[in-house]
Amino acid sequence: VNINQQWPVPYRRFDHRPVADSYCEAMFPFCPTGNMDGMIPYMNNWDVISVFRLQAPVWEFKYGSLLGKMHIMHDAIGFSSAERGKNYTMEWYELFQLGNCTFPHLRTETSAPFWCNQGAACFFEGIDDIHWSQNGTLEKIGEISGGQFNDMAKWVQQDNQTGIYYETWTVRSDPSPNSTLWFDSYDCSQFVHRTYRYLTQQGALLSSRSQTRFFG
Ligand SMILES: CCCCCCCCCCCCCCCC(=O)OC[C@@H](O)COP(=O)(O)OC[C@@H](O)CO
């Protein structure tokens, strides 16, 4: 073992997002109601934007609260502009669904393993109150200015261009509580944590009654 090895292995970022291989097929269109080129609306600097913590069981549309009972949750962030009177949802998830990010493909014509594991941010107008509150969480955690929102929007675009691969698995050295984290996951909840961290670094005061749990 390399004694200088840094654990966990840092998440690898890239300088651009490649076009996904046509072999990769999505069961559902990615970010169907979002702006096609991922643009995020510009707010007036003096606007007051409420920030919401959103959480719902993964695949609730298909299995209801089932995965929530195993604490397998999808995390997102909601925004509400006082000046525009509009709500928005921002989330990060797989382009080709969870299975493709969890298991690779074996293809005769390409070297194994072949992955269809891109993930990306999705920003769209509206917050589906029922979806988030019926089996999960819809909680106001703070307010930011329009200027702070605009800075965050720029940061999300950069984050989205460089952090392109979804990682389902968290890999540890052994099952014990004090095991070494070898590889961290990179999923919806990590995006939410990164965004909270960015906003608090910009001076936002965010507080939640409960923690945004990592899966596992
Ligand atoms: C054949 C599939 C096998 C998959 C087995 C996976 C076992 C490990 C489960 C780990 C789950 C981690 C999920 C972490 C949260 C996350 O990244 O969620 C993103 C996405 O999976 C959520 O999907 P949806 O619930 O469909 O929500 C997306 C919608 O909100 C889009 O608007």
Side-chain angles (χ1 to χ4, degrees), residues 44-50 80-83 140 143-146:
N44 285 327
N45 284 339
W46 56 83
D47 196 348
V48 176
I49 315 280
S50 297
S80 179
S81 159
E83 192 178 282
K140 180 171 179 176
E143 291 181 347
I144 58 175
S145 69

Side-chain angles (χ1 to χ4, degrees), residues 58-59 61 72-74 91 93-94 99 166 168 187-188 215:
V58 165
W59 292 338
F61 70 95
I72 299 180
M73 303 298 280
H74 177 43
E91 56 188 346
Y93 64 100
E94 315 87 341
Y166 185 109
T168 300
D187 61 15
C188 56
F215 169 71

Side-chain angles (χ1 to χ4, degrees), residues 98-116:
L98 187 56
N100 269 312
C101 294
T102 312
F103 304 112
H105 295 263
L106 297 177
R107 293 175 63 185
T108 50
E109 67 281 18
T110 55
S111 56
F114 183 85
W115 287 95
C116 294

Side-chain angles (χ1 to χ4, degrees), residues 48-70:
V48 176
I49 315 280
S50 297
V51 183
F52 298 91
R53 177 168 171 269
L54 307 177
Q55 197 175 60
V58 165
W59 292 338
E60 184 194 55
F61 70 95
K62 199 166 181 177
Y63 300 115
S65 63
L66 177 64
L67 292 177
K69 292 180 176 26
M70 295 180 268

Side-chain angles (χ1 to χ4, degrees), residues 30 74-77 89-93 120-124 132 191:
F30 178 77
H74 177 43
D75 292 280
I77 305 176
T89 302
M90 184 169 80
E91 56 188 346
W92 197 92
Y93 64 100
C122 171
F123 186 97
F124 59 92
W132 299 107
F191 172 73

Side-chain angles (χ1 to χ4, degrees), residues 39-213:
M39 290 310 289
I40 296 176
Y42 189 84
M43 305 291 176
N44 285 327
N45 284 339
W46 56 83
D47 196 348
V48 176
I49 315 280
S50 297
V51 183
F52 298 91
R53 177 168 171 269
L54 307 177
Q55 197 175 60
V58 165
W59 292 338
E60 184 194 55
F61 70 95
K62 199 166 181 177
Y63 300 115
S65 63
L66 177 64
L67 292 177
K69 292 180 176 26
M70 295 180 268
H71 302 295
I72 299 180
M73 303 298 280
H74 177 43
D75 292 280
I77 305 176
F79 299 100
S80 179
S81 159
E83 192 178 282
R84 288 170 172 236
K86 287 188 175 180
N87 294 336
Y88 304 91
T89 302
M90 184 169 80
E91 56 188 346
W92 197 92
Y93 64 100
E94 315 87 341
L95 270 60
F96 306 107
Q97 282 69 57
L98 187 56
N100 269 312
C101 294
T102 312
F103 304 112
H105 295 263
L106 297 177
R107 293 175 63 185
T108 50
E109 67 281 18
T110 55
S111 56
F114 183 85
W115 287 95
C116 294
N117 63 338
Q118 283 200 35
C122 171
F123 186 97
F124 59 92
E125 190 170 322
I127 296 178
D128 183 343
D129 294 21
I130 305 294
H131 166 53
W132 299 107
S133 52
Q134 64 185 358
N135 294 306
T137 308
L138 193 165
E139 174 195 14
K140 180 171 179 176
I141 58 172
E143 291 181 347
I144 58 175
S145 69
Q148 287 174 314
F149 177 92
N150 296 333
D151 290 343
M152 178 209 71
K154 272 188 233 138
W155 170 83
V156 166
Q157 306 278 7
Q158 289 153 10
D159 181 79
N160 199 39
Q161 280 310 310
T162 58
I164 52 186
Y165 293 113
Y166 185 109
E167 297 280 356
T168 300
W169 302 110
T170 300
V171 182
R172 294 186 166 278
S173 56
D174 57 75
S176 71
N178 56 358
S179 60
T180 303
L181 176 64
W182 284 354
F183 297 91
D184 206 350
S185 60
Y186 193 88
D187 61 15
C188 56
S189 62
Q190 307 271 15
F191 172 73
V192 168
H193 276 283
R194 282 200 308 283
T195 306
Y196 287 168
R197 200 173 302 131
Y198 178 83
L199 288 172
T200 44
Q201 284 165 355
Q202 302 305 309
L205 297 174
L206 304 177
S207 64
S208 168
R209 285 189 300 276
S210 59
Q211 186 191 12
T212 295
R213 292 169 57 93

